[in-house]
Structure formats: structure tokens, C-alpha cells
Amino acid sequence: MSTPHTDAVTLQLPSPDPGPATLVRPRTTGTEPPAPEPAPARSSTVPDEPLDLAGLGIGPFNLSLAALAHPLAHLRTAFFDQRPAFRWHPGLLIEDATLQVPFLADLVTLADPTSPWSFLNYLKHRERLFPFYFAERFHIHRAEYDAYCRWVSENLPALHFRHQVDAVRWNSDRAAFEVDYTQLGDDGEAVALGRAHARNLALGVGTTPHVPDALKPLVDAPAVPVLHAADYLAHRERLLAAEHITVIGAGQSGAEVFLDLLRARPTGREGLHWLARTAAFAPMEYSKLGLEHFTPDYTRYFHALPEPVRDQLVPGQWQLHKGIDHATLATIHDELYRRTLHGGWPDATLTPGVTVRTAGRVGTTKIELHLEHPHQGARSRLTTDAVVLATGYRESRTDTLLAALDPYMRRDAAGRPRIDIEQRLVLDPCVTGSVYVQNAEHHTHGVGTPDLGLAAWRSATILNTLTDSPAYPLPTRTAFTTFGLRPSPPRTRTDIPRPHSTLIENP
């Protein structure tokens, strides 16, 4: 059973008046095994001299960047996140759920297999290498990936949790970005305001759960459980107490939630309905050559295409990253089939090809969904006691956070930020620093944008633009497929525009 392989983290974006404050490193539990050998000590406060790189948000992608930056002793970095600690999709850590990418797609290995922050080194420090070896697992459990990332986050010195980033602006006098933040206490309340300066930024604020407009009024009213799958485990017991449950969404999360509910319900009294907008509960494309769409080769090809062509390609590639894992589909069918062994059919209805037009409450305990099947031209109503919305995620809005940079940003015909092949926002030349983007460049870099398998490569690409020589030499070819008749050759070091900031030597 698999789960989406995406990055997610949230930053709230109020705008208080900033003042000086001290950065405080988060405490570790004190029960972890020894961490990898630390790099030379860095100051625990934000110095007056600008940082070389400040990361906004600490999801897996910026955590990867921090891990690969850690051994570069002359590169001064800090990463900020408002949360008290790292967590990755905690509401979907369903038992037995696994990643859709192999364990080699950890934070660092595909750029530096020798890194002390690899998943294998995590197992070594946990004294679990031999059990993992005999388990013969290529796809690890989702909860294990979360535990691995938390181990890294608890031992990297450049991470600053409980630091809510409020605003970012360019200071031309200092040739650096100003990052205003609020330091939060254990209760989540503000305890201090502060400001850091950085020559370059890495924006990794991730994604937020998406709720369709037709269902937003139901989510806002708490009487009947209507919740996004991101919060599933926190409300699982309340959901199971409902007589009838509807799951909306035909992606991996919807399949996992439906399967978990099905397993927990008594035979013949399942009371489940699974709705999908897609024409079928479709499997994810997972062929070997199909997976080459998640390589740097395809990313370069996609980025070089004209904007209208990219926009035409993206919707048709949904099955590369929004379908359901074959094993999960098979397990659902097996569970349904098992419930027919003694006669009768399970009280579980699976209906693809429908949309929810509107929805409303019936009395105080039920919900009525107004459904439409476009292919049949038919409409119907479904009454249910609870709804789980597996309706995906959207890129987090950064309008408030980056409001001061908006006049400098170059946009495409659709008003979206332009992003170059090295992951940088295209800014006015008067801004001599770079803003790197993580997991917000689907329109410019294609389907691999949220894929964990490209995390280390993307982090290495970013770091290589900040060093005089390649900190992490990257392969020139990564796919057997040649995309296009005129494949774009990989860019060399001399092709890469240099950020106008202090260049850091690779030790």
C-alpha cells in the first residue's frame, strides 16, 4: 500500500512590526542515538553578516537542502519553520502505508550516497541495518520515512523551529534579503520578534489541503464530520462511529482512507461510498520507462518547451502522479471479494465519473451531496453521515509573504512566477540575490516537481550555484529515453548565471 510522495509544510503569514531577537535552536529529545559527526560549529544567533542562504519552511525538500548544505563549512545557512518540530503528513500515517518511491529517494543519497544524513545511516544509528536487510524492503513504510526525517531534523544545527516567517523584502543597501520572523513559545504564542539577512533564499512552504468550493460551508460547520484526508487519523474514531461514510477523491489518499475504513467495518454493514471525478479508479503509471518522467533529463526537456505547450501537457499527465498504486487497488478488491464468500455483497459502493455539484446539511446529523454524472447526463442525491475529502493539495499562497518582492518578479502570460532551470525566481536585475523555489514550479518544471526522488538532485543543483566549484557533481544523463528531437544538453558550470553574492568555496 503506497502514499503520495510529496512535500508539505505550512507557514502562517501575518505581518507584525519586526525587531531584534535571538534565534533559539529546538531542543532534541535526548534519547536519540549519536548524530553524524557535526560540521564546524555555527553561531546560535543570527549574525550581523548576511547568511549565504535562508530557507523558509522545513518540509522534506528544504530539509534535503539543509542536509546537503551541512558539510559545506563555509556556507552559512539557517532554515525557519513555525511548527514546533518536523512532521510529514501526520494525518495519513496509516498503518502499513508505504512510500511510492524507493528508500534511495531519501534526502541526500541520489546526490551524495556517502552523506551521514542518508536513510541507511539512520538505520545504522538505530541499530536496524540487519533487520532492514532481511526485510528486503525497497519501499519503506510511510511512518518510517517520517521518523527518518525527524531524526535528521533533530540533529541538524541550522534548523530553527517555532520561528514563523512574517515577511521578506530586498534591502539594496545591504545587497541582501531581510527576513522578518516571530519566535514562538511552547504554547504557540509570540515571545519575540526578529530579523535575519540573507543573500539568497530557498522558498519551501509546501502545499495546503484543497477543499472544493461546494464543500467549504460543510467543513466550516463542525456538527457533522466533514474533513480533509490530511486530518484523517485525528478523526478516525469519530468517523467510524458514523453509520454511513463517503470518501471523495480517487487518488492514493482516497484509496488508502477507503481501504482503512473498509477493514474496520463489519461485513455486510460497511456503510461506505467512494466517489471519484475521474472516469475510473485508475492505477498510477509505474512502468520503468514511464518513471523516467521523474528524471532531471525530462525536467530539462519540459522546462525548455514553450509555455503554451507545457500548459497543454500537464493535465494529460495526471496518471503519472495522481493515480492509485497497483498494490492498493488489488488489496481493496481482495478485501471486497473476501466479504462475498458467504453470500451477498458488501455495503460499499464505488462510483467513478461523478462530480459533487452542491452539498448541504439535512437536519443536524446528516449531509446531502448533489451528484452529477456528465457522461450519463444524470443527477442524483446521496445522504451520508460523514465525509472525507481526499481532494488533494494546492501550492501554498505566498502573496503576503512575498508581497514586497512582487514588483521585482517576472511573470508568464498566466501571471505565474517565471522560474529558471536552476530553480530561481526570475527577478529584476536590481535584485542581485536569488530566490530558489521548491515544490511550487509545476508549471515550469513538470510532473517531477513534488516527487521525493528529485529532492536531492534539486538541492544539489541549488547548492552548486552557490559554490565556486560543484559541491555535488551531477550526472549528465539520467534516462534511457531521449525526450524530443532536439534534446537540450545539460548545462555546464560556465552556462550557469552566477548569483550576485559572495561565492563560497567548496572545502
Side-chain angles (χ1 to χ4, degrees):
M1 193 165 129
S2 303
T3 54
H5 42 299
T6 58
D7 177 54
V9 63
T10 304
L11 284 173
Q12 293 181 352
L13 308 173
S15 301
D17 183 32
T22 300
L23 282 174
V24 179
R25 284 185 52 196
R27 297 178 180 178
T28 57
T29 62
T31 61
E32 301 296 335
E37 189 67 26
R42 297 177 173 89
S43 172
S44 61
T45 62
V46 175
D48 185 61
E49 179 71 14
L51 298 160
D52 296 299
L53 180 68
L56 314 183
I58 307 175
F61 292 152
N62 263 359
L63 187 60
S64 166
L65 185 60
L68 287 172
H70 177 256
L72 308 182
H74 301 291
L75 192 65
R76 298 166 56 254
T77 66
F79 294 78
F80 307 92
D81 197 295
Q82 71 167 8
R83 299 174 301 171
F86 181 95
R87 291 305 305 272
W88 187 67
H89 295 297
L92 283 169
L93 297 180
I94 298 171
E95 187 176 358
D96 293 333
T98 62
L99 292 183
Q100 290 173 303
V101 291
F103 72 89
L104 292 174
D106 62 11
L107 301 172
V108 293
T109 294
L110 291 178
D112 181 13
T114 68
S115 170
W117 305 108
S118 70
F119 176 72
L120 289 180
N121 201 42
Y122 159 75
L123 292 177
K124 176 179 178 291
H125 282 278
R126 294 286 193 184
E127 298 184 351
R128 296 179 59 233
L129 263 178
F130 272 91
F132 181 75
Y133 168 59
F134 292 120
E136 296 184 344
R137 286 190 173 275
F138 200 50
H139 292 80
I140 63 175
H141 284 111
R142 179 186 184 84
E144 186 166 30
Y145 177 79
D146 176 63
Y148 153 66
C149 288
R150 283 190 283 113
W151 173 78
V152 175
S153 71
E154 289 164 359
N155 289 290
L156 277 177
L159 307 186
H160 303 282
F161 290 96
R162 291 197 176 95
H163 283 75
Q164 174 183 286
V165 175
D166 304 315
V168 173
R169 67 185 64 84
W170 175 249
N171 185 324
S172 57
D173 293 334
R174 299 193 62 165
F177 295 98
E178 293 178 346
V179 179
D180 294 338
Y181 61 83
T182 301
Q183 185 178 331
L184 307 175
D186 293 346
D187 57 359
E189 297 297 322
V191 296
L193 301 176
R195 175 176 294 167
H197 292 86
R199 297 186 180 93
N200 304 284
L201 303 177
L203 188 65
V205 297
T207 57
T208 55
H210 170 66
V211 177
D213 291 339
L215 294 163
K216 284 181 179 177
L218 300 183
V219 175
D220 295 336
V224 181
V226 180
L227 55 104
H228 195 275
D231 300 316
Y232 171 67
L233 286 183
H235 299 274
R236 183 175 182 271
E237 295 307 315
R238 185 184 177 200
L239 289 168
L240 289 174
E243 184 177 346
H244 185 276
I245 311 168
T246 300
V247 178
I248 300 176
Q252 184 65 31
S253 297
E256 289 178 357
V257 168
F258 178 79
L259 177 58
D260 187 64
L261 291 170
L262 178 62
R263 285 171 163 170
R265 308 285 272 191
T267 300
R269 293 186 289 114
E270 292 82 3
L272 294 174
H273 205 132
W274 186 14
L275 301 174
R277 187 174 54 183
T278 55
F281 295 101
M284 183 172 291
E285 167 58 55
Y286 207 75
S287 65
K288 303 300 182 185
L289 292 179
L291 289 175
E292 291 194 342
H293 284 82
F294 301 98
T295 60
D297 284 13
Y298 183 77
T299 300
R300 286 188 287 263
Y301 160 78
F302 185 88
H303 189 273
L305 293 173
E307 178 188 327
V309 177
R310 294 199 303 255
D311 288 344
Q312 291 172 5
L313 276 176
V314 168
Q317 295 178 329
W318 67 270
Q319 215 165 335
L320 286 168
H321 60 110
K322 291 185 178 180
I324 304 170
D325 174 75
H326 287 256
T328 308
L329 287 172
T331 303
I332 290 173
H333 189 276
D334 288 346
E335 183 65 29
L336 292 169
Y337 177 74
R338 183 183 64 80
R339 292 167 183 255
T340 68
L341 295 182
H342 303 292
W345 287 72
D347 181 20
T349 304
L350 289 70
T351 310
V354 297
T355 59
V356 179
R357 296 187 302 110
T358 59
R361 296 188 180 274
V362 180
T364 58
T365 62
K366 293 188 180 295
I367 297 162
E368 186 175 80
L369 304 175
H370 298 185
L371 309 179
E372 181 175 14
H373 196 293
H375 295 164
Q376 283 187 328
R379 291 185 174 183
S380 180
R381 297 182 180 186
L382 171 65
T383 301
T384 187
D385 300 292
V387 177
V388 180
L389 303 172
T391 46
Y393 298 80
R394 297 292 185 272
E395 293 173 1
S396 298
R397 295 183 62 88
T398 57
D399 300 4
T400 303
L401 181 65
L402 300 182
L405 297 182
D406 187 70
Y408 305 105
M409 293 172 61
R410 299 295 181 256
R411 298 182 180 274
D412 63 17
R416 299 164 300 195
R418 292 175 55 197
I419 303 169
D420 72 16
I421 190 61
E422 270 76 41
Q423 307 295 143
R424 295 173 295 207
L425 291 177
V426 178
L427 302 173
D428 188 279
C430 70
V431 179
T432 56
S434 295
V435 178
Y436 298 93
V437 176
Q438 303 239 50
N439 198 15
E441 69 278 15
H442 201 168
H443 62 293
T444 57
H445 288 64
V447 293
T449 294
D451 193 271
L452 294 176
L454 285 175
W457 171 78
R458 181 166 51 198
S459 296
T461 298
I462 292 171
L463 293 172
N464 284 348
T465 67
L466 298 176
T467 55
D468 280 334
S469 58
Y472 295 100
L474 297 173
T476 58
R477 184 174 180 180
T478 57
F480 291 114
T481 304
T482 298
F483 297 101
L485 295 178
R486 297 189 301 273
S488 301
R491 302 183 75 179
T492 64
R493 292 288 302 176
T494 56
D495 295 328
I496 299 174
R498 307 295 300 177
H500 298 280
S501 58
T502 302
L503 297 180
I504 308 301
E505 292 185 358
N506 182 33

